[in-house]
Amino acid sequence: MDLAFTPEELAFRDEIRTWVKDNLPADISQKVHAAMRLTRDDMQRWAKILGKKGWLGWGWPTQFGGPGWTAVQKHLFEEECALAGAPRVVPFGPVMVAPVIMAFGNAEQQQRFLPGIASGEVWWSQGYSEPGSGSDLASLKTRAERVGDKYIVNGQKTWTTLGQYGEWIFCLVRTSNEGKPQTGISFLLIDMKSPGITVRPIKLLDGECEVNEVWFDNVEVPAKNLIGEENKGWNYAKHLLAHERTNIADVNRAKRELERLKRIAKAEGVYDDLRFRDEIAKLEVDIVALEMLVLRVLSAEKSGKNSLDIAGLLKIKGSEIQQRYTELMMQAAGPFALPYIFEAMDAGWQGNFPGGVVANAPLAANYFNMRKTTIYGGSNEVQRNIVAQTVLG
């Protein structure tokens, strides 16, 4: 395993760094570095900038309009974007459903859906989890019945991230009850403007409606929107989940937030506390270890080995790190981390708290929000079981 970057890779990193510096809107970068709320326009504005350059599908092969980068180049691109303060690309289109369409969709589906994803024009949502079917996804009940040249879909999806903005949603639906639960699931692409779809927001601990319930009431979906074969959707879902769990690790954002933690600790005067600095050091060691694990995956990919079998490990460690840095930020700020009023913050006011710094205002909301990371994308308890069975044997 060679973890050193080549001169060509270092030159590539400089190219990416310069381009991001010249093209990332300053107002968006400032929001990201301050952990402020990003609007739909903020997220899609950056997506369209990347799309115009041909980099929103940065992991895509050239045959589908991507840059055809190596695994290391993709990693360097993600790192430079994160450190510069770019918003995390909403992954459902370019990172999750696009690889499934490329691998299992037909030529007509590829020509129809991939351009809108690559440009950032079309917002995709994910329809996997249901009430009672989260980590045990194979127990899902949303039903799709084939009637002529269409499917009639009935059921409910939940925890649909940013579903209030969705224009299309990719769903796992049950098309058969015969055999094992996994064998009766299909992968369906659904226009969210279809009659019978209702999106209901769910307010979270941080006061945001980041996730939603999506209801399907006799929704008609053209049969040509079925990806691959009927009842084979579980295989396609596993392909997608490997990409999702690798994406959740998000080591590059962790490196950026580590520096933010240090800034807050210094501003609050706790950086000189040796016991607190020990906690920062332990976090930094774990982030470096996670990065080494990511680089091991990239090294395996460069040599043609399948690295997706340890995606669960990346998800476990990455999600735990995200919770730890938000918790340490809260501890550094103490009581000044507690109050937050999003509407006031959006208007430019972050509180007049004696002894507190303005960077503290969003901390409580971020801490609450990150409680989700060890649950979504397959809970860490389930991921440990998968790792034990598939990696350890």
Side-chain angles (χ1 to χ4, degrees):
M1 180 178 66
D2 183 5
L3 298 182
F5 296 122
T6 66
E8 293 77 14
E9 289 165 346
L10 293 175
F12 173 83
R13 179 168 65 183
D14 290 339
E15 175 191 348
I16 296 296
R17 183 176 298 168
T18 299
W19 184 87
V20 172
K21 179 181 177 182
D22 292 341
N23 290 273
L24 175 61
D27 62 316
I28 294 179
S29 175
Q30 290 167 2
K31 281 187 174 182
V32 170
H33 280 304
M36 300 289 286
R37 176 168 54 179
L38 293 171
T39 66
R40 181 188 194 278
D41 176 69
D42 293 330
M43 291 181 278
Q44 196 155 29
R45 186 157 39 119
W46 176 237
K48 289 180 178 179
I49 291 172
L50 290 174
K52 186 175 181 180
K53 180 67 174 176
W55 287 355
L56 184 58
W58 71 94
W60 298 13
T62 53
Q63 71 185 93
F64 293 111
W69 289 339
T70 66
V72 171
Q73 287 175 318
K74 288 183 282 187
H75 173 74
L76 291 173
F77 170 78
E78 293 166 3
E79 180 178 62
E80 290 303 319
C81 287
L83 296 179
R88 189 163 177 259
V89 169
V90 177
F92 308 114
V95 178
M96 295 169 67
V97 74
V100 173
I101 295 173
M102 293 176 196
F104 306 107
N106 57 41
E108 189 276 332
Q109 291 169 335
Q110 293 166 356
Q111 294 167 6
R112 179 184 177 193
F113 293 110
L114 293 179
I117 298 174
S119 67
E121 295 289 337
V122 181
W123 191 297
W124 281 80
S125 297
Q126 178 186 24
Y128 270 29
S129 293
E130 300 180 3
S133 298
S135 294
D136 181 21
L137 191 57
S139 65
L140 65 87
K141 296 180 175 61
T142 295
R143 178 80 182 173
E145 182 181 358
R146 180 72 180 260
V147 179
D149 61 354
K150 61 190 174 185
Y151 287 95
I152 307 300
V153 180
N154 285 279
Q156 177 190 2
K157 297 294 180 178
T158 193
W159 312 124
T160 308
T161 303
L162 302 177
Q164 67 269 44
Y165 306 140
E167 295 165 299
W168 280 79
I169 185 170
F170 56 92
C171 285
L172 291 182
V173 294
R174 183 158 300 286
T175 45
S176 173
N177 288 314
E178 298 180 4
K180 294 181 179 180
Q182 292 90 336
T183 60
I185 292 173
S186 298
F187 196 104
L188 206 57
L189 310 181
I190 304 176
D191 186 343
M192 292 191 72
K193 297 184 294 295
S194 303
I197 293 182
T198 303
V199 179
R200 298 176 184 171
I202 301 172
K203 183 168 286 191
L204 302 181
L205 278 171
D206 63 357
E208 291 289 287
C209 295
E210 184 185 27
V211 294
N212 302 263
E213 295 176 305
V214 181
W215 295 82
F216 301 87
D217 182 11
N218 290 321
V219 177
E220 297 185 2
V221 181
K224 64 181 180 180
N225 289 6
L226 174 73
I227 294 294
E229 298 179 47
E230 191 174 273
N231 300 327
K232 295 293 182 65
W234 188 253
N235 295 329
Y236 315 147
K238 289 191 295 183
H239 181 81
L240 184 151
L241 286 171
H243 288 275
E244 179 185 25
R245 287 162 186 164
T246 304
N247 185 67
I248 288 172
D250 209 357
V251 65
N252 300 308
R253 179 168 60 167
K255 292 168 69 174
R256 183 188 69 215
E257 293 302 293
L258 173 66
E259 296 307 311
R260 181 164 168 258
L261 167 61
K262 292 177 181 178
R263 291 197 302 271
I264 291 173
K266 290 173 183 177
E268 290 295 340
V270 298
Y271 192 74
D272 294 330
D273 184 302
L274 294 181
R275 298 184 73 176
F276 190 82
R277 209 152 72 196
D278 283 347
E279 294 301 314
I280 296 179
K282 286 190 288 186
L283 174 65
E284 187 160 6
V285 167
D286 280 349
I287 291 174
V288 171
L290 177 63
E291 185 175 26
M292 291 301 102
L293 184 58
V294 169
L295 292 175
R296 284 182 62 186
V297 170
L298 300 181
S299 180
E301 288 186 11
K302 285 175 69 174
S303 61
K305 298 177 182 177
N306 180 16
S307 61
L308 294 181
D309 56 353
I310 65 167
L313 283 174
L314 296 176
K315 193 272 175 178
I316 292 167
K317 199 62 184 177
S319 59
E320 290 176 347
I321 284 173
Q322 290 166 29
Q323 291 185 346
R324 282 172 58 198
Y325 65 64
T326 56
E327 185 172 354
L328 285 173
M329 288 179 190
M330 288 280 284
Q331 291 177 0
F336 301 116
L338 293 178
Y340 66 96
I341 304 173
F342 269 128
E343 292 77 10
M345 289 163 55
D346 286 345
W349 183 88
Q350 293 194 355
N352 299 316
F353 310 124
V357 295
V358 294
N360 294 344
L363 294 183
N366 295 334
Y367 170 80
F368 288 139
N369 188 275
M370 285 297 178
R371 297 302 93 194
K372 69 190 179 187
T373 61
T374 50
I375 301 173
Y376 72 10
S379 72
N380 283 11
E381 292 79 7
V382 171
Q383 294 307 306
R384 288 186 173 91
N385 286 340
I386 293 173
V387 169
Q389 293 168 2
T390 63
V391 179
L392 302 179

